[in-house]
Amino acid sequence: MLSKKIGIDLGTSTVVVYVKGEGVVVNEPALMVTDEKGGRVLAVGRAASELAGKGGKVRAIRPVRNGNGVDYGIAGALVQHLIGRIIGRQRIFRPAHGEILALESLPVGGDALDAAIDEAVSSARGLRLGGGEPERIKRQIGSANPPVADTSIEVMAIDAQGQPALTQVSAAEVASAIEDLVDQIGAAVDRVFTQVPAERRAAVRRNGLVLTGGGAQLNGLVEFLGGRARMPARIARDPEACVAVGTGMALDNLQMIRRGQHYIT
């Protein structure tokens, strides 16, 4: 049996697997749920998110923390479970003609934004959000900019006694909770641009920013970063899958990649 070329994008919130000739075969939460002692895997991916949201004596584990800290044992088990079921760190960089002119890995991933939202709710109400709720809040009412209209949504939480509770979370609360983290991303973009050789900066500014990954879809982020960097900014087509797809395609261009590796900082 011929081996398959596979590209994997293991993010803080989502894992995407691309198989050449088949397309994206996995696009699910980067989450594994085990029993309380961690000895038995109960669910992975979307099923794990649903199980974690029900509470109970289980452990919810993410293989990537803070954007770039990876537990490779958990990561391998998660991907193996997901692929088997179906087929039997934020990085900021500036590539140019196969070269990487500047690179910075920032420990601010989707889970850091989720944790900030959870902490804000806990501090204000003494409640912990249910599994998957911080990400749902982020996707529905999260914003990189102060919201024009302060909308709110009802979410599931857990009180100090471990009992389920409902509470309202507003868009203004969420924007305030993630403001510092969003600013860190903007500052990292500024630093990366200063690393670009002076003779290349005009081209970089002309071509602008391309945001990838699930976090790229945070409402207002593309406008915030483009405005701060004073250059065009856009979200990649299919931002959650494009890294995995590109990784799979890169397997056909390994020689070009190897030639450009000495540009990585």
Side-chain angles (χ1 to χ4, degrees), residues 181-198:
L181 297 176
V182 170
D183 193 60
Q184 288 180 40
I185 298 172
V189 172
D190 293 341
R191 290 193 298 272
V192 167
F193 185 71
T194 63
Q195 297 174 34
V196 175

Side-chain angles (χ1 to χ4, degrees), residues 95-100 246 249-264:
H97 304 295
E99 306 168 2
I100 295 179
M249 294 171 63
L251 294 173
D252 291 328
N253 297 278
L254 289 178
Q255 291 303 316
M256 183 182 74
I257 292 172
R258 291 191 181 104
R259 287 199 301 271
Q261 280 184 344
H262 63 281
Y263 289 95
I264 298 176

Side-chain angles (χ1 to χ4, degrees), residues 216-242:
Q217 299 174 91
L218 177 67
N219 185 43
L221 183 61
V222 67
E223 293 83 5
F224 171 82
L225 294 178
R228 175 165 178 152
R230 300 187 301 280
M231 66 178 73
R234 62 183 175 87
I235 300 174
R237 184 174 61 185
D238 197 1
E240 290 194 26
C242 65

Side-chain angles (χ1 to χ4, degrees), residues 72-93:
Y72 290 101
I74 296 297
L78 172 64
V79 172
Q80 185 176 30
H81 273 81
L82 287 171
I83 294 178
R85 191 177 69 197
I86 293 175
I87 60 175
R89 221 169 126 142
Q90 278 300 354
R91 289 190 181 273
I92 301 170
F93 65 95

Side-chain angles (χ1 to χ4, degrees), residues 31 33 48-55 60 62 118 128-136 156-158:
L31 184 67
V33 169
S49 182
E50 294 172 357
L51 182 58
K54 296 177 181 178
R62 290 190 181 275
D118 189 24
R128 283 293 178 187
L129 293 172
E133 289 291 69
E135 184 175 5
R136 183 171 75 89
M156 178 66 71
I158 301 171

Side-chain angles (χ1 to χ4, degrees), residues 47 68 164 210:
N68 60 4
V210 180

